[in-house]
Amino acid sequence: MLPFVILFSLVFILPIVWAIYSSFFRQVSTGGGAYGGGTLVNKFVGLTNFQYVFTSRNFWMGCGRVLIYTIIQVPVMMGIALALAMVLDSFIVKHVVGFRLSYFLPYAIPGAVASIIWVFLYNDQISPIVKGLKAIGIPVNFFAPGMRIVSMANITTWTFTGYNMLIFLAALQAIPHDLYEAARIDGANNFQIAMKIKLPNVRGAALLAVLLSIVGSIQLFNEPQIMQTMDQGISKSYTPMMMALNTSQGSLTPGGDGPASAIAIVMALIAGVLAIGYAFAESKVNEQ
């Protein structure tokens, strides 16, 4: 027990405590002259960093982009994942293990690498997708301002659909087969079994998958950060997580660990509120 407590404290509790501590400080220059110089020291500023976050237009615009991205990406990914799980759980598909592995394979690719792959596929100079669409009269620019979020959502959907499919598939395979036999004896066909038995029994899994996807969307970082290398229209504060990184590196003003920690803590609080909402929704589902 003691090794677990020590390890948990070092890798989980300590970074959180340090982030909260840092959020009350800001780097200021002291000892310089009229032409600059001096040294940077950490100065206690109370809640100033949090005031900066809550009044930052860039922060809330980044939250708005994440919200739009979530509204587009999560329902599409959940729908595809559930449909794939329903097909694999039926008797339509043979060699289920092969299909399950192929769908899950993109999840094994690191997010940054997946983003790099798709950035090349979005490049109009070398992409077979762009050239193929153009050849049939459908010109498309995946880096256009109106397409950026869709392009990012596509990368995430490609990466995580297989992972969510496994969550749904595990829930489907946990349903007692006696229910299916009883339904068939009563004259139900496969479509009715899917609608009346399978879908109601995956509600809990669906809630979990949606929560994990929304929390993951809040941390949107890899896709815009990699796409920024090809699209300078993506700003350094495009999402709150990009804003936190560039703030910590001093690319945005005010810079330093203090304001960056404040951004991270506010985003963690938003994720915590969503988790509480999930717990409330789960309890309501279980009561039914």
Side-chain angles (χ1 to χ4, degrees), residues 103-127:
Y103 293 143
F104 184 73
L105 195 58
Y107 183 70
I109 300 174
V113 176
S115 299
I116 292 171
I117 293 171
W118 276 100
V119 163
F120 279 102
L121 291 174
Y122 290 157
N123 189 315
D124 59 357
Q125 300 297 318
I126 59 176
S127 169

Side-chain angles (χ1 to χ4, degrees), residues 26-44:
R26 184 176 289 186
Q27 288 184 330
V28 296
S29 178
T30 62
Y35 299 98
T39 58
L40 290 174
V41 298
N42 283 325
K43 179 183 178 182
F44 180 77

Side-chain angles (χ1 to χ4, degrees), residues 44-58:
F44 180 77
V45 293
L47 297 175
T48 303
N49 289 329
F50 291 98
Q51 182 184 13
Y52 155 68
V53 174
F54 285 113
T55 59
S56 171
R57 182 172 179 270
N58 287 336

Side-chain angles (χ1 to χ4, degrees), residues 56-68 237-240:
S56 171
R57 182 172 179 270
N58 287 336
F59 175 79
W60 292 112
M61 287 186 67
C63 289
R65 295 188 189 99
V66 169
L67 177 63
I68 295 172
S237 59
Y238 193 80
T239 68

Side-chain angles (χ1 to χ4, degrees), residues 28-239:
V28 296
S29 178
T30 62
Y35 299 98
T39 58
L40 290 174
V41 298
N42 283 325
K43 179 183 178 182
F44 180 77
V45 293
L47 297 175
T48 303
N49 289 329
F50 291 98
Q51 182 184 13
Y52 155 68
V53 174
F54 285 113
T55 59
S56 171
R57 182 172 179 270
N58 287 336
F59 175 79
W60 292 112
M61 287 186 67
C63 289
R65 295 188 189 99
V66 169
L67 177 63
I68 295 172
Y69 164 88
T70 303
I71 292 172
I72 295 173
Q73 192 269 328
V74 173
V76 172
M77 181 176 66
M78 290 297 117
I80 296 173
L82 180 59
L84 291 174
M86 295 281 280
V87 171
L88 291 183
D89 190 58
S90 68
F91 298 104
I92 300 174
V93 178
K94 306 297 182 183
H95 310 295
V96 172
V97 175
F99 281 102
R100 190 168 55 195
L101 180 62
S102 62
Y103 293 143
F104 184 73
L105 195 58
Y107 183 70
I109 300 174
V113 176
S115 299
I116 292 171
I117 293 171
W118 276 100
V119 163
F120 279 102
L121 291 174
Y122 290 157
N123 189 315
D124 59 357
Q125 300 297 318
I126 59 176
S127 169
I129 297 175
V130 176
K131 291 181 179 178
L133 290 173
K134 188 176 181 179
I136 60 175
I138 309 175
V140 60
N141 179 6
F142 289 104
F143 296 102
M147 282 291 292
R148 287 175 187 144
I149 290 179
V150 176
S151 300
M152 295 173 195
N154 174 62
I155 298 172
T156 308
T157 301
W158 179 78
T159 304
F160 288 97
T161 295
Y163 170 80
N164 288 289
M165 180 208 69
L166 287 185
I167 294 177
F168 287 124
L169 188 59
L172 288 169
Q173 293 181 344
I175 299 173
H177 282 210
D178 294 348
L179 294 176
Y180 302 152
E181 297 300 328
R184 288 194 176 91
I185 291 173
D186 290 339
N189 56 35
N190 289 332
F191 180 78
Q192 290 171 323
I193 290 174
M195 294 295 108
K196 301 294 185 181
I197 297 178
K198 291 186 176 182
L199 282 182
N201 280 284
V202 299
R203 285 182 301 181
L207 282 173
L208 175 63
V210 169
L211 173 71
L212 294 176
S213 299
I214 291 176
V215 171
S217 298
I218 290 174
Q219 302 170 17
L220 178 63
F221 176 78
N222 285 330
E223 292 83 355
Q225 184 71 17
I226 299 299
M227 287 181 64
Q228 189 186 38
T229 60
M230 295 290 294
D231 182 2
Q232 299 305 311
I234 298 177
S235 68
K236 294 181 178 180
S237 59
Y238 193 80
T239 68

